[in-house]
Amino acid sequence: MFNNSLKDRLITLLGRENVLDSIEELSCYAYDSFLEESLPEIVVLPKSTTEVAAVVEIAATNKIALTARGAGTSVCGAPIPVKRGIVLCFSKMNKVLEINTRDRYAVVEPGVINGDLQKKLAPLGFFYPPDPGSIMISTIGGNVALNAGGPRCLKYGVTMDYVLGMEVVLPSGKIINLGSKNIKDVTGYKLSALFCGSEGTLGLITKIILRITPQPETARTVLVTFADLDNTAKAVSEIIGSGILPVAMELMDSITIREIENTLNLGLDTEAAGTLLIEVDGTAETCRREMGRIVEKVNDYGALSLQEAATSAEREELWKARRFAYPVFAKIGPDIITEDVTVPISKVPAMIAKIREILNAHDIRAGILAHAGDGNMHPLIPVDKSDTEQMKRVNQAIEEIFAAAVPFEGTLSGEHGIGLAKAEFLPLVLDDNTREFMSVIKKAVDPDNLFNPGKFV
Amino acid sequence: MKNPSENTSANVSTNTCGKCGFCLAVCPVYSVLLDEKASPRARIQLIKVFSEGKISSSPLLKELISKCLMCGSCTANCPSEVDHYSQFMKMRSEMIKDHAEPIEIRGLIYLLAREQRLKMAASLARVGQGILPKAFAEKYQLGNIALSKLPDLNSRTFRSQVKKETAPSGKERGTVLYFTGCATNHVFEQTGHATLKLLTHMGYRVIIPAKQACCSIPLLFHGAEKQARENILANIACFDGEGAEAIIVDCPTCGSTLKNEYSPVLERAGKRSDSAQRISRKIVDIMSFVHDRLELLSIDRNKADAAVSVTYHAPCHLKNVFTPSARVLQQIKAIQYLPAEDSQECCGGGGTFFYEYPEVAAVLAGRKINNAQKSGAELWLTDCPVCRINLAGQQRDGKHLGLCHPAEFIATLLE
């Protein structure tokens, strides 16, 4: 438990304004974008690795739970301090330390906002590909800890594929450095990968070396509608299977499209059973050729309509429907659950059918959205968390959706993480030995279970 | 301290917030303080836990709620359509009931509540400005702004300088009503004359109702809803009528208040709001009115060629409720418009915010000033009087970029 002398030590260490302990302030750090809440006992906002290490030492000596937080946009409850203790928020460690285009890396502190890094890279002709929906506010530290994805990860890969190295404060208070600035580096275990998606359970990431990449010359986008949802999904795996690798292939079912159209009046075809948004990028010549082949393929699967965009303004217009899917369903809420189950691409048609069947069986009105090109499903389920009867049905349906992914060799989460949302379902996809191996690592690194306790490990 | 179970009057609908955090990305105060407690999402959460009785009213709670520019960017960008703006306004009133505002804010509310008081205070202040020793004016500050950098007050109120009704200069196209706002009436008469010039030039008969009062937004922000209601009813009485095709505002904040706040205030008091709704539909800011009738403007090519280059700052209430005037500057090709990279970002003025939280305002204004100066422009245009005072006042070093309303600049280019 927390006492005043510990609080005073933290204040001496970090300054009064960086230690929060009133009930009003603590209330602001009890949540993320998941449904649950838990009040921390104290919140600290350090400004350097040295300060982080000092806080960790206090936590370790006094056996106090410590949960890291970035911008608090996680949808799985990862930064919720279920065992109370300290919340360590990285928002003030937000310096971009170095951008090196010749060696193609950037070094950042964990509190740097993904969108702010993009703004710094764009004038140099570079970008950092992972683009989670929260890109404008979520932090790189949070992105790494949750191994965030995004629509364009289909072509470019997820956060982990861009992490070259990192500095970590371990639960012991020791500072370690993993990886390097080299694109190729097989010196020892690839431990930075272990920390990607570790959700703050193994260490606190205090500095990150990221791979950056040149912006493509141009992009082309097409919005295609189908009379049949199954054909929509089949078109996706056919395109991927044919060797084309689009930047993004976003699938929306008819309920999703109708809700978006009702709110935004974009002129979308509400009769279509499935809609696909496909984008390719590269040189103008590659884009033209790939788009030509994509058009052939979608026509083979009975495309009803095709809308192509070449200028960035036209592309933005086509993306509008997809971008507003979350807001539109969030508004129906009052709360929203965005599911994240993922299957191999060829199983997308069958999985979508299964999800729809389960939702119908439980009388749940939800849209089905998917980063279909990488098999990442996002059923958007508006809920009222105070309605216990409804929540019971929804939780039952989600459990069945997870179970349905297993025979397809799918997985629980593509990009949102486990946190509180999916911890209990881990045994569905990870066998006893595998989970035991995770526990062995956790116990070796954090024997007192102080770092983000109460989560998946 | 109040018993938490009594917190029912703040029991507003906060439950549509999905806590996605998108509001943090557009909140100017969060961008400076980088602490969740200074975010719109946190304020909504605080209002919720307060209404549930989990926390009590306290001076800290009041500060967390009111350390906000009321710029409305969170509301304008919320995926779940949470109305932060109205909820914050209500919660501010609730907090002020328990923990009084500082004396100078109360003084301001007292003045704004009655046009007569304001006029008298302005004339006294005018005398004050005249006799204030220079050293005194430089030493004493309003927030970060030295008194010497505050604008002079109008020698007479703008409304007393012009006729109640002004005929158009050419062919008559219609009639508009003009809500002049306190800033134009007492401080920036140039904005008023320019607005009048643009409107009459385009062929509009301009009527300035004599009995108009403060739009009331400072009163609503600082918990004086009862006094606000009297002003609102007075304004509705002068502006609700047939005949005029639009009600023109030159101040975006007055405009957003007349457009969006009158109906809810009346409804909360159990009054009919149809007159407020009629007014709401007619409210338009002067630059949008000009934008929609650009063909009626005759720009003098020689004057435009001789004019200075300009950059622009989009006031939050214009950006979030109307449309920034940059589009007019872009479409009049003769204007040499040099956009600043952050022209859409908040300047930290926020009504009385720059006075109450100077450390936050200084950071926000500093970024803007830096980028406006980098644009290379010789004049800085902005529609909002508070932005104008804030951005002029917070410029510290040698190079001072002058500020004026876009209407003033464009009026100088007319044939």
Side-chain angles (χ1 to χ4, degrees):
Chain A
M1 276 305 282
F2 232 87
N3 60 46
N4 279 336
S5 89
L6 288 182
K7 185 180 109 185
D8 291 343
R9 277 179 62 197
L10 288 170
I11 291 172
T12 313
L13 205 60
L14 307 174
R16 187 67 194 95
E17 74 279 15
N18 295 316
V19 179
L20 317 178
D21 66 333
S22 70
I23 177 72
E24 294 89 341
E25 294 168 318
L26 299 176
S27 300
C28 305
Y29 286 84
Y31 53 78
D32 63 359
S33 194
F34 184 57
L35 306 174
E36 292 178 32
E37 292 175 15
S38 174
L39 278 178
E41 288 165 270
I42 203 157
V43 176
V44 296
L45 297 116
K47 288 182 170 164
S48 68
T49 303
T50 318
E51 289 185 356
V52 173
V55 173
V56 168
E57 208 206 308
I58 291 176
T61 314
N62 298 282
K63 307 261 186 285
I64 300 165
L66 191 155
T67 302
R69 178 186 176 95
T73 53
S74 151
V75 291
C76 69
I80 296 176
V82 278
K83 303 288 181 196
R84 308 206 59 198
I86 303 172
V87 160
L88 187 150
C89 182
F90 279 110
S91 53
K92 292 188 181 178
M93 280 178 72
N94 67 341
K95 285 193 281 297
V96 174
L97 300 170
E98 188 188 354
I99 291 177
N100 186 326
T101 51
R102 296 178 69 163
D103 294 331
R104 296 201 175 173
Y105 69 81
V107 184
V108 301
E109 290 187 332
V112 167
I113 292 167
N114 184 324
D116 288 351
L117 176 64
Q118 309 288 358
K119 277 184 219 154
K120 285 201 155 68
L121 292 172
L124 307 172
F126 278 73
F127 77 121
Y128 164 69
D131 58 342
S134 57
I135 187 165
M136 291 319 292
I137 191 63
S138 60
T139 61
I140 297 290
N143 289 178
V144 173
L146 276 292
N147 196 8
R152 67 185 174 211
C153 294
L154 163 60
K155 175 169 179 175
Y156 289 101
V158 296
T159 302
M160 192 180 79
D161 301 312
Y162 291 86
V163 175
L164 295 173
M166 59 175 70
E167 175 189 79
V168 177
V169 177
L170 294 173
S172 63
K174 284 187 181 159
I175 300 168
I176 57 170
N177 285 281
L178 311 172
S180 66
K181 290 173 178 173
N182 300 287
I183 305 274
K184 288 181 165 177
D185 183 349
V186 288
T187 315
Y189 294 141
K190 177 83 176 154
L191 289 175
S192 54
L194 180 62
F195 284 83
C196 290
S198 66
E199 301 185 11
T201 60
L202 293 177
L204 300 177
I205 303 163
T206 46
K207 195 194 289 180
I208 305 137
I209 308 168
L210 295 171
R211 192 157 64 85
I212 56 173
T213 203
Q215 286 167 349
E217 181 186 300
T218 187
R220 279 176 100 114
T221 307
V222 67
L223 190 74
V224 194
T225 62
F226 296 84
D228 181 279
L229 187 60
D230 195 42
N231 271 349
T232 318
K234 281 179 178 154
V236 173
S237 50
E238 175 65 23
I239 290 166
I240 298 286
S242 76
I244 304 167
L245 189 51
V247 188
M249 297 190 88
E250 300 293 305
L251 179 149
M252 290 165 276
D253 77 341
S254 57
I255 293 184
T256 310
I257 288 293
R258 265 178 235 154
E259 292 294 351
I260 295 169
E261 183 60 23
N262 282 347
T263 309
L264 295 173
N265 301 313
L266 297 172
L268 300 169
D269 180 0
T270 53
E271 295 304 307
T275 301
L276 272 185
L277 180 73
I278 309 173
E279 184 159 292
V280 293
D281 71 4
T283 64
E285 174 52 26
T286 329
C287 287
R288 194 192 55 75
R289 203 175 54 236
E290 290 193 337
M291 193 48 89
R293 285 175 61 198
I294 287 169
V295 168
E296 271 174 38
K297 298 279 176 203
V298 295
N299 280 331
D300 289 349
Y301 281 88
L304 289 177
S305 71
L306 277 145
Q307 227 183 314
E308 244 193 285
T311 68
S312 62
E314 287 169 4
R315 279 172 43 216
E316 201 41 52
E317 201 50 39
L318 292 190
W319 270 95
K320 213 168 179 180
R322 170 61 187 86
R323 288 199 206 291
F324 276 90
Y326 173 81
V328 164
F329 280 85
K331 202 183 62 189
I332 300 171
D335 306 297
I336 182 166
I337 297 175
T338 315
E339 246 328 306
D340 187 32
V341 62
T342 300
V343 295
I345 302 151
S346 65
K347 304 296 190 324
V348 166
M351 189 64 205
I352 286 182
K354 197 75 203 168
I355 292 174
R356 180 51 69 207
E357 184 189 312
I358 293 168
L359 292 172
N360 288 345
H362 292 280
D363 193 22
I364 295 164
R365 183 168 173 76
I368 299 179
L369 187 77
H371 304 309
D374 51 27
N376 192 183
M377 307 289 152
H378 283 331
L380 294 169
I381 312 171
V383 295
D384 179 350
K385 70 179 174 193
S386 63
D387 180 343
T388 44
E389 185 276 327
Q390 185 200 35
M391 286 307 291
K392 213 175 131 201
R393 275 187 290 130
V394 169
N395 286 330
Q396 179 62 34
I398 290 173
E399 205 173 325
E400 288 174 24
I401 290 172
F402 291 152
V406 175
F408 295 134
E409 298 179 87
T411 191
L412 293 182
S413 172
E415 56 188 7
H416 293 171
I418 300 300
L420 294 171
K422 300 182 179 185
E424 61 177 301
F425 300 109
L426 231 48
L428 278 178
V429 290
L430 298 178
D431 59 30
D432 293 350
N433 288 346
T434 311
R435 279 181 288 122
E436 190 194 314
F437 182 64
M438 283 170 41
S439 300
V440 167
I441 295 173
K442 169 73 174 172
K443 278 183 191 138
V445 180
D446 182 15
D448 295 318
N449 192 23
L450 298 178
F451 275 26
N452 206 1
K455 301 293 164 59
F456 70 89
V457 65
Chain B
M1 195 182 283
K2 213 163 146 179
N3 180 335
S5 62
E6 292 169 19
N7 298 341
T8 46
S9 57
N11 197 352
V12 285
S13 164
T14 47
N15 63 0
T16 58
C17 173
K19 304 203 202 78
C20 65
F22 288 12
C23 54
L24 275 66
V26 295
C27 175
V29 180
Y30 181 78
S31 82
V32 174
L33 298 175
L34 298 169
D35 184 339
E36 176 79 25
K37 72 176 194 238
S39 74
R41 174 171 65 171
R43 281 180 218 113
I44 290 292
Q45 176 77 355
L46 287 169
I47 293 170
K48 184 175 143 250
V49 293
F50 172 75
S51 70
E52 291 166 354
K54 290 179 185 158
I55 58 172
S56 310
S57 168
S58 68
L60 177 60
L61 182 59
K62 176 177 182 250
E63 181 184 326
L64 294 178
I65 296 299
S66 48
K67 202 166 186 171
C68 162
L69 287 147
M70 293 300 284
C71 67
S73 291
C74 44
T75 310
N77 290 283
C78 177
S80 304
E81 294 181 4
V82 171
D83 187 356
H84 308 73
Y85 196 76
S86 305
Q87 296 197 22
F88 294 170
M89 202 132 68
K90 249 180 126 171
M91 186 67 174
R92 287 166 88 117
S93 302
E94 185 76 17
M95 292 296 101
I96 289 163
K97 272 191 229 156
D98 297 346
H99 314 281
E101 290 282 55
I103 180 79
E104 51 297 3
I105 300 288
R106 276 184 282 154
L108 176 73
I109 298 311
Y110 174 80
L111 294 179
L112 293 174
R114 282 274 187 284
E115 194 57 32
Q116 219 34 49
R117 287 180 199 153
L118 187 60
K119 242 161 104 176
M120 195 182 294
S123 59
L124 281 174
R126 217 171 283 132
V127 174
Q129 269 188 344
I131 59 173
L132 213 54
K134 193 162 174 284
F136 180 89
E138 268 162 18
K139 186 168 168 214
Y140 287 90
Q141 301 206 331
L142 192 60
N144 293 317
I145 303 177
L147 290 183
S148 61
K149 287 198 167 184
L150 288 176
D152 290 339
L153 296 170
N154 298 338
S155 58
R156 292 163 54 201
T157 65
F158 168 70
R159 291 203 293 272
S160 70
Q161 298 175 35
V162 293
K163 288 180 289 186
K164 189 177 162 286
E165 184 169 333
T166 309
S169 49
K171 178 175 174 262
E172 182 152 351
R173 294 178 192 276
T175 301
V176 295
L177 300 175
Y178 179 18
F179 181 87
T180 67
C182 299
T184 292
N185 200 34
H186 294 289
V187 187
F188 295 122
E189 60 190 27
Q190 320 87 292
T191 303
H193 290 296
T195 301
L196 209 50
K197 185 170 174 188
L198 284 172
L199 290 168
T200 51
H201 171 93
M202 292 190 300
Y204 289 89
R205 179 173 296 279
V206 184
I207 297 173
I208 304 177
K211 292 200 169 156
Q212 54 184 290
C214 166
C215 73
S216 284
I217 200 66
L219 309 178
L220 293 171
F221 284 172
H222 294 285
E225 183 148 332
K226 190 166 157 281
Q227 294 92 317
R229 217 152 47 225
E230 290 174 26
N231 280 0
I232 288 171
L233 290 170
N235 283 334
I236 288 177
C238 349
F239 285 94
D240 182 27
E242 309 269 309
E245 72 175 75
I247 301 167
I248 305 291
V249 289
D250 59 36
C251 165
T253 303
C254 295
S256 72
T257 310
L258 285 154
K259 195 168 183 63
N260 293 336
E261 304 307 324
Y262 280 21
S263 293
V265 169
L266 294 181
E267 282 161 17
R268 278 202 290 277
K271 294 183 188 300
R272 286 172 62 100
S273 64
D274 37 345
S275 54
Q277 285 166 24
R278 278 193 299 274
I279 286 180
S280 170
R281 285 191 288 271
K282 284 191 179 177
I283 295 291
V284 56
D285 70 284
I286 175 65
M287 296 308 291
S288 294
F289 191 80
V290 169
H291 173 265
D292 296 344
R293 293 162 185 77
L294 265 187
E295 72 285 356
L296 301 179
L297 278 192
S298 314
I299 301 287
D300 183 320
R301 190 70 220 191
N302 293 329
K303 286 182 186 167
D305 285 346
V308 294
S309 57
V310 295
T311 191
Y312 178 68
H313 162 66
C316 293
H317 291 141
L318 196 65
K319 165 179 88 187
N320 292 327
V321 179
F322 304 95
T323 308
S325 307
R327 57 181 178 165
V328 179
L329 304 174
Q330 272 154 350
Q331 283 172 28
I332 301 177
K333 295 287 173 235
I335 294 177
Q336 199 192 342
Y337 170 49
L338 306 171
E341 65 176 74
D342 62 350
S343 70
Q344 299 268 336
E345 304 298 322
C346 175
C347 74
T352 52
F353 185 92
F354 76 95
Y355 169 75
E356 295 168 281
Y357 304 104
E359 72 292 351
V360 180
V363 177
L364 291 167
R367 292 178 189 162
K368 301 280 321 185
I369 290 165
N370 187 25
N371 283 311
Q373 288 178 344
K374 266 204 295 200
S375 76
E378 296 154 281
L379 180 65
W380 200 355
L381 306 180
T382 191
D383 315 69
C384 165
V386 173
C387 299
R388 181 172 174 178
I389 292 172
N390 187 42
L391 290 172
Q394 306 245 18
Q395 296 188 50
R396 295 254 170 275
D397 41 2
K399 194 183 162 203
H400 184 95
L401 203 50
L403 279 120
C404 76
H405 194 292
E408 289 171 45
F409 176 69
I410 291 177
T412 64
L413 310 179
L414 299 179
E415 276 177 1

